[in-house]
Amino acid sequence: MLHKFWHFSVVMLGLYPLGGYADVPHDKTATYDIENAEDINELCAGCHGRKGQGGKGGIYPRLAGLTPEYMTRQIESFKSRERINLPMLPYANDRELSQQDVHDITHYLAAIDLPTQLPRSSEVIDGLERLRQSKSIVQIGRYPGNINQGERIYMEACRACHQRDGVGRTDKPRLRGQYTQYLKKQMHDFKKGTRQHVDWEVKFADLSDNDINNILAFLSILDD
């Protein structure tokens, strides 16, 4: 990747439209090569969208606003094959994504603040443009399940790492605003053991499918 110039960015990851994200620890000042990041993002956009909004209804997760630390750790686990992800195999190596590349793209994606509603305009907007705007909105549909039971399980098992409102921590991912379909697959992968959960005190094997659905129901209302 060509590094043309360094961009100094004061990254405020509060994401106030979703509320509470200002509590997520992060480096508020980050130096990264924005042109290099934009070049890398051209590849990432094929699955995750041009603004890191995710794709195909949650098959590919939303990356915008996740912390650089968490995204870096996942990329490194893809490189080491600790975490297997077929779409990432061609890119998860030091030749395609150097350490500097990882630094640039993770800080670039972390700085993206996705809206929670369509922008208002008194002018007539082209239908395709409106469709493009709608794909960048953080809006999670209500998932069927017992919200109260899901909240109880979440507060007991998940709150310590992901916080009460699901905003995550520096090295723990934000669950609020993430696609339910993606979260469901990851939780079942943890339960089956096909993906390692770093905090073993959370025993996914002890969670029933109904428990998982109830947790997802609770998470799905956090961005309301």
Side-chain angles (χ1 to χ4, degrees):
M1 297 290 180
L2 296 178
H3 296 252
K4 298 178 181 177
F5 67 95
W6 287 97
H7 169 71
F8 183 79
S9 173
V10 178
V11 182
M12 297 300 291
L13 298 185
L15 300 186
Y16 294 104
L18 294 180
Y21 289 172
D23 296 332
V24 181
H26 58 272
D27 181 4
K28 294 182 179 179
T29 60
T31 303
Y32 65 96
D33 183 337
I34 191 170
E35 286 198 350
N36 185 40
E38 288 173 342
D39 287 344
I40 299 169
N41 196 50
E42 289 295 320
L43 292 174
C44 303
C47 293
H48 297 282
R50 296 186 64 82
K51 293 187 177 180
Q53 72 269 22
K56 294 191 176 180
I59 293 178
Y60 301 109
R62 179 170 287 118
L63 302 181
L66 293 177
T67 64
E69 292 83 358
Y70 175 73
M71 287 188 281
T72 296
R73 192 178 74 189
Q74 298 312 302
I75 292 173
E76 292 304 322
S77 70
F78 290 142
K79 286 184 176 182
S80 67
R81 303 298 188 260
E82 174 187 345
R83 182 179 175 188
I84 302 298
N85 183 278
L86 293 180
M88 283 295 295
L89 284 178
Y91 311 107
N93 57 73
D94 289 335
R95 182 176 66 83
E96 295 294 334
L97 280 174
S98 68
Q99 186 175 4
Q100 186 62 57
D101 292 336
V102 172
H103 173 88
D104 292 340
I105 189 60
T106 57
H107 282 81
Y108 175 84
L109 290 168
I112 297 176
D113 183 354
L114 294 176
T116 58
Q117 59 184 5
L118 287 170
R120 297 178 180 178
S121 175
S122 58
E123 300 178 358
V124 176
I125 300 178
D126 177 75
L128 287 177
E129 173 61 19
R130 203 63 168 171
L131 179 62
R132 185 191 64 79
Q133 292 175 351
S134 69
K135 289 182 177 180
S136 298
I137 292 177
V138 176
Q139 201 170 63
I140 303 301
R142 185 70 60 89
Y143 190 78
N146 188 315
I147 293 173
N148 291 332
Q149 287 294 326
E151 180 178 12
R152 179 186 62 78
I153 299 170
Y154 177 88
M155 293 304 170
E156 291 176 358
C158 314
R159 180 181 63 178
C161 290
H162 299 283
Q163 299 204 60
R164 176 180 294 272
D165 50 1
V167 299
R169 300 185 185 278
T170 302
D171 60 344
K172 309 297 182 185
R174 180 172 56 196
L175 306 180
R176 176 180 179 172
Q178 186 58 269
Y179 288 102
T180 302
Q181 180 179 347
Y182 176 77
L183 292 177
K184 184 174 184 176
K185 183 182 185 306
Q186 302 315 303
M187 293 176 77
H188 281 286
D189 284 350
F190 291 142
K191 183 178 178 179
K192 293 183 294 184
T194 53
R195 180 181 174 189
Q196 180 181 350
H197 191 270
V198 295
D199 299 295
W200 286 107
E201 65 269 19
V202 180
K203 295 180 172 58
F204 279 89
D206 294 338
L207 294 177
S208 68
D209 289 349
N210 195 49
D211 290 334
I212 291 175
N213 287 337
N214 291 338
I215 294 172
L216 293 171
F218 169 66
L219 291 174
S220 73
I221 69 168
L222 293 181
D223 70 331
D224 288 354

